[in-house]
Amino acid sequence: MTARARGRWAALVALAAATLLPLTAARRVRARWDRGLAARDASAAAGYLAIVTPMARSGGGYDLPQLLIRARALAGLPGLAVDFEIYDRTAPLVHATAPPLLPAVLEQLRREVAVRWTGEAMLAPLLDRDGWDVVGAVAAQPQGAGWPVSPWSFAALLLFVAAGVQAVRAMGVTGEPWRQALGRYGAAAGLFGVAMFADVRLAGRGATDQWLSDARLLMQEAMARVPETRAAPASLAPIARGAELAPADSLGSGVVRRDVAGLVRAVVAVRLGPGRWVELRARPLEAGTAPWLAVVLGLAALGPLGALLAGWSLAASPRQRRETVAAWGFLAPSALHLVAFTVGPLLFALYLSVHRFSPVEPARPLIGLAGYAQALGNPLVWAALGRTLLYACYVPVSVALALALALLLRGRSRGARLARTLFFLPAVSSVVAVALVWRWMYQPDVGLVNHLLGHLLGHPFGQLLTRAGLGRVDWVGDPAIALIAVMIVSVWTQLGYQMAVFHAGLESIPRAYVDAARVDGANAWQRFRRVTLPLLRPVILFVLVTGILGACQVFALVAVLTGGGPVSATDVAVYRIYRTAWEQLQFGDASVLSVLLFVLLLAATRAQLKLLDRRVEHA
Amino acid sequence: MALLMVAPFLYMVATALLGEGDTLRRVHPENFAAALAAAPFGRFFLNSAIFSVAVALGQVLTSTTAAYAFARLRFPGRDRVFTLYLSALMLPVVLLLVPRFLLISALGWADTYQGLISTELVSVSGIFLLRQFFLAIPRDLEDAARLEGAGEWTVFRRVVLPQSGPALATLGVLALADQWKSFFWPLVATSSADMQVLEVGIARLHGAYDLNWPYQMAAATAAVVPMMVLYWVAHKYFMRGIQLRV
């Protein structure tokens, strides 16, 4: 086989998989739902029979002739979605010639008292009136599902296959027409996926509706036969097990979808008498189908992906092919991890931000951009974002200091090396420990900082400061000072690291440049201004940008040092997000704030890059 | 000036040893024993060690392979994929925290080592660091091996890995130090005292013994000392990491 034929075959196999797998998946879901419908109808019928059939006078089960009549009437009801068979113990009542139930199966029903699948029908136990003993069984067989796909899905399928075949035919032809065909192929795959998803959703909707209307039919039958139940609708609850009964107004005859306390519910009204209604509410099956869209789209995408790979490998040289395969092998661990733990969560965060979402509440309604509007209208949010930017202002200060120190401590002497090592210590130590130490040092009465300040204030100059009101400072307890106190600690922790970065940057500048400037008669300041600084600019940019990115995300320091206080004086963005998510348990609101912080970070970074770029132009 | 940088550490140890009143005459080592008995510090230590070592190993593994692919192999869309990787650095950690927590909860991994470790196994900055390193070493040896018909995996294992010991050690040490300091994710991902890492543990102690400063300083010392030792031993790797980033 030639390479071209091999490529085409591979693409065709991918096409076959991309059509058959979504079809199979959809079929399986629908079969599962049909079975679920049969199970619910079977237990509804068992509940119905228990209400309407009188017990035998002799005791021990239902009155057999009555049960026979009721069973046949039930099976003959028009509009039911399943075929019923009712067994009195093991004897079939509806179709007298049908095979009896196996005694072992009845025994099992008696032991487990649960609905089970026999291979072709759902079997529900028929309990006696008191619910004590299993006296028979109700079998419900799903009716043939009709067409396996809806007409529009079939049309989409044809379109998809046609586009696929066209793309495969174009493969290996000079001029690479397959690249154009691929776009159509991908679009057709998307269409097919969406159509299959619509099928699945509709099947779920249909199964829910059918069950609710079957349950309503049986409840109405029960009320017609046993009029006392009209006065006590709760006694009808066994017919609609799994649905909720609630008093209601008339709703019309159909099954509708309605918002009940923030949750979508399928609702149908049952008339008890003139002006008296109850409604049955159930969680619709289609409510949980959203993941299926991803599944069917992913399966349908196999076709175009296969064609893309086959087409590319036909066009590529063997060496290119080998390297690409190897590269993706090497990338696989990190790429899969990023998809699962970064891209996925990112998308989910966006999803959360447009929902009201709390882990302790079942209702998670879509609220659209209302969360954003609320956050942007909240002055406290603006204050937190502004405070975050204000806090980040320590970064330029510490960068300037670090640069000065790096220039000062350039030498290779023991002293300079020791100093550099000591300066770096805060960068490697635990943030929580640092915060604890500084909290202790900041104590107003016994802390080291005020103690030293006190010594300083003993001098005449200090007494001047005391008069200006700078006596005993309550560093982390005074709302006016707390943020500055946190910034001081941040400078202390960051200084050594930033200095080390500048040191490395300075080391990488060739001595020859500086020497040349010196020969030209430039003084120390000119050498720094004209040679070192421009060469160091990328490093400065790096330290500034990463420093501000980090500063805007400060959390541990604030959490331990000040706890966001006093009076929210240090309530920075991330701390606020933390409290929204883990103290108020508002995951949706927290995601909104996180997205806003992300936007702020992007804007801040862009602004810095722009600003510094312009300065490069002027220089 | 350098003294100013070290003073808080000295003060921390002094408070832990001497107690609060500055009577410089008597040393109270029992402060340490008492503070360390106030919480399961052994367990915190073990958790921190397991967490940071596992993450550091994982990051070295995933970063080496990815960095090699980006630095040495040619494939369609390489630069675009690399840019995508780098853009992950722009994401604020807090944005991913809630979804990641929900993800590990859905997997049944909340409050377990799997949950704690799994989300941290890839570090984009680690990939960037090693890519810089691979770009800087000559490729003659690799090309020679390729000419002799070695596959990419063989080249990677037999030629590249043996040369990159120092770079891997650098990344390992940096990742270890980083994860030891990590506070936010462990705070969110664990809930029981048995699973808490040292950072979260001493932060909780702070809540319980708010005004007992010698206790708190003893706990802080316990958290800082391992990293000081690591820094002492592996000083040059910290500096090499910085050189590679610049």
Side-chain angles (χ1 to χ4, degrees), chain A residues 319 323 327 330 334-335 337 341-342 345 421 423-425 427-430 432 439-440 443 492 553 582 598, chain B residues 5 11 15 65-66 74-75 85 92-93 99-102 118-119 181 183-184 188 199 206 213 224 227-228 231:
Chain A
R319 189 190 148 82
E323 267 194 55
F330 281 120
S334 55
H337 186 279
F341 289 105
T342 300
T421 310
F423 270 91
F424 200 74
L425 280 180
V428 290
S429 52
S430 127
V432 176
R439 202 181 147 78
W440 167 217
Q443 286 304 303
W492 179 76
Q553 300 185 46
W582 305 103
F598 180 36
Chain B
M5 297 305 284
Y11 194 48
T15 309
T65 51
R74 272 166 312 212
F75 57 98
Y85 267 58
V93 182
R100 280 179 171 178
F101 170 75
L102 290 174
S118 59
T119 59
K181 289 198 294 182
F183 174 68
F184 208 172
V188 166
E199 290 283 284
H206 153 62
W213 294 107
V224 166
M227 282 305 103
M228 297 284 170
Y231 179 57

Side-chain angles (χ1 to χ4, degrees), chain A residues 8 220 521:
Chain A
R8 284 181 167 187
Q220 280 165 346

Side-chain angles (χ1 to χ4, degrees), chain A residues 249-595:
Chain A
D249 295 325
S250 161
L251 272 175
S253 61
V255 182
V256 296
R257 296 290 179 278
R258 211 179 56 202
D259 196 288
V260 178
L263 299 168
V264 180
R265 286 289 176 256
V267 181
V268 70
V270 185
R271 186 170 177 275
L272 298 172
R276 290 182 58 229
W277 299 77
V278 286
E279 61 182 30
L280 288 177
R281 295 173 185 162
R283 181 172 186 271
L285 281 171
E286 79 270 13
T289 49
W292 279 99
L293 181 60
V295 172
V296 281
L297 277 179
L299 290 175
L302 286 178
L305 275 180
L308 179 67
L309 281 180
W312 175 80
S313 73
L314 276 182
S317 73
R319 189 190 148 82
Q320 266 178 320
R321 215 154 43 211
R322 216 189 51 183
E323 267 194 55
T324 306
V325 171
W328 280 105
F330 281 120
L331 282 181
S334 55
L336 292 176
H337 186 279
L338 282 174
V339 167
F341 289 105
T342 300
V343 178
L346 173 64
L347 297 178
F348 195 56
L350 295 177
Y351 168 89
L352 285 175
S353 74
V354 293
H355 286 77
R356 183 169 299 129
F357 192 106
S358 168
V360 289
E361 278 169 43
R364 287 151 185 186
L366 177 75
I367 55 167
L369 297 179
Y372 289 93
Q374 201 184 6
L376 291 176
N378 185 350
L380 291 176
V381 170
W382 285 105
L385 290 177
R387 204 173 287 128
T388 307
L389 285 182
L390 190 64
Y391 165 78
C393 289
Y394 88 81
V395 177
V397 176
S398 75
V399 166
L401 270 176
L403 185 55
L405 276 171
L407 289 167
L408 232 115
L409 297 173
R410 281 192 74 167
R412 294 182 178 278
S413 72
R414 272 182 87 84
R417 268 165 50 195
L418 181 69
R420 285 203 301 268
T421 310
L422 291 180
F423 270 91
F424 200 74
L425 280 180
V428 290
S429 52
S430 127
V431 184
V432 176
V434 163
L436 286 178
V437 174
W438 278 88
R439 202 181 147 78
W440 167 217
M441 297 202 311
Y442 273 152
Q443 286 304 303
D445 294 320
V446 287
L448 182 66
V449 177
N450 275 354
H451 195 69
L452 291 178
L453 224 56
H455 275 296
L456 207 70
L457 297 185
H459 294 286
F461 172 70
Q463 276 163 2
L464 225 95
L465 285 178
T466 321
R467 290 217 191 95
L470 278 171
R472 214 173 46 88
V473 183
D474 188 0
W475 292 94
V476 291
D478 186 344
I481 298 181
L483 193 66
I484 297 174
V486 180
M487 288 163 80
I488 292 175
V489 181
S490 306
V491 171
W492 179 76
T493 38
Q494 293 294 311
L495 200 55
Y497 165 75
Q498 290 170 347
M499 189 189 79
V501 176
F502 284 132
H503 181 75
L506 288 172
E507 292 286 289
S508 68
I509 294 176
R511 281 213 79 81
Y513 289 7
V514 185
D515 291 341
R518 186 176 293 150
V519 171
D520 286 347
N523 63 27
W525 169 247
Q526 283 169 334
R527 287 201 300 273
F528 171 71
R529 182 74 189 76
R530 299 286 169 202
V531 182
T532 314
L533 198 59
L535 287 172
L536 214 53
R537 179 151 283 152
V539 181
I540 297 175
L541 192 66
F542 167 80
V543 175
L544 259 183
V545 169
T546 54
I548 287 180
L549 273 179
C552 288
Q553 300 185 46
V554 63
F555 173 72
L557 195 59
V558 167
V560 180
L561 193 56
T562 63
V567 212
S568 77
T570 55
D571 187 22
V572 288
V574 175
Y575 193 71
R576 192 177 178 80
I577 294 169
Y578 170 77
R579 279 201 331 209
T580 309
W582 305 103
E583 283 174 17
Q584 300 160 15
L585 294 175
Q586 291 302 326
F587 284 4
D589 292 348
S591 298
V592 167
L593 293 181
S594 309
V595 173

Side-chain angles (χ1 to χ4, degrees), chain B:
Chain B
M1 187 81 185
L3 198 68
L4 202 67
M5 297 305 284
V6 196
F9 292 116
L10 297 179
Y11 194 48
M12 168 181 83
V13 177
T15 309
L17 274 179
L18 300 174
E20 206 172 312
D22 43 356
T23 47
L24 289 165
R25 285 176 220 116
R26 279 181 51 220
V27 174
H28 302 271
E30 70 270 15
N31 265 338
F32 264 102
L36 296 187
F41 269 96
R43 184 76 202 193
F44 295 164
F45 243 97
L46 184 72
N47 289 338
S48 271
I50 291 176
F51 170 59
S52 33
V53 170
V55 170
L57 284 179
Q59 287 191 356
V60 168
L61 210 76
T62 55
S63 302
T64 328
T65 51
Y68 177 69
F70 283 130
R72 281 294 192 265
L73 302 172
R74 272 166 312 212
F75 57 98
R78 179 182 71 184
D79 295 344
R80 229 173 302 162
V81 175
F82 188 59
T83 314
L84 269 180
Y85 267 58
L86 286 187
S87 61
L89 285 176
M90 279 301 296
L91 288 175
V93 182
V94 68
L95 177 61
L96 304 176
L97 223 55
V98 164
R100 280 179 171 178
F101 170 75
L102 290 174
L103 179 62
I104 64 162
S105 302
L107 292 169
W109 290 354
D111 205 24
T112 64
Y113 288 122
Q114 303 92 290
L116 194 57
I117 292 166
S118 59
T119 59
E120 311 295 304
L121 287 176
V122 166
S123 146
V124 173
S125 60
I127 294 172
F128 181 76
L129 194 94
L130 284 183
R131 179 175 167 273
Q132 298 289 94
F133 169 78
F134 286 140
L135 287 176
I137 59 174
R139 44 187 308 163
D140 307 351
L141 274 174
E142 295 163 49
D143 286 338
R146 280 199 194 94
L147 279 180
E148 285 175 21
E152 293 301 338
W153 178 245
T154 317
V155 172
F156 177 68
R157 264 201 48 206
R158 292 285 163 77
V159 185
V160 176
L161 277 191
Q163 301 182 64
S164 23
L168 300 194
T170 302
L171 178 61
V173 166
L174 289 183
L176 199 64
D178 244 26
Q179 297 306 320
W180 188 274
K181 289 198 294 182
S182 160
F183 174 68
F184 208 172
W185 173 242
L187 177 70
V188 166
T190 62
S191 48
S192 66
D194 271 356
M195 287 304 303
Q196 271 165 19
V197 299
L198 200 52
E199 290 283 284
V200 178
I202 58 171
R204 292 263 157 87
L205 189 79
H206 153 62
Y209 292 86
D210 194 11
L211 288 175
N212 193 336
W213 294 107
Y215 269 33
Q216 290 188 28
M217 292 307 108
T221 311
V224 166
V225 162
M227 282 305 103
M228 297 284 170
V229 171
L230 181 72
Y231 179 57
W232 193 256
V233 175
H235 171 255
K236 65 172 181 185
Y237 293 117
F238 282 95
M239 294 306 135
R240 203 196 302 265
I242 284 172
Q243 279 159 12
L244 276 175
R245 259 179 214 157
V246 168

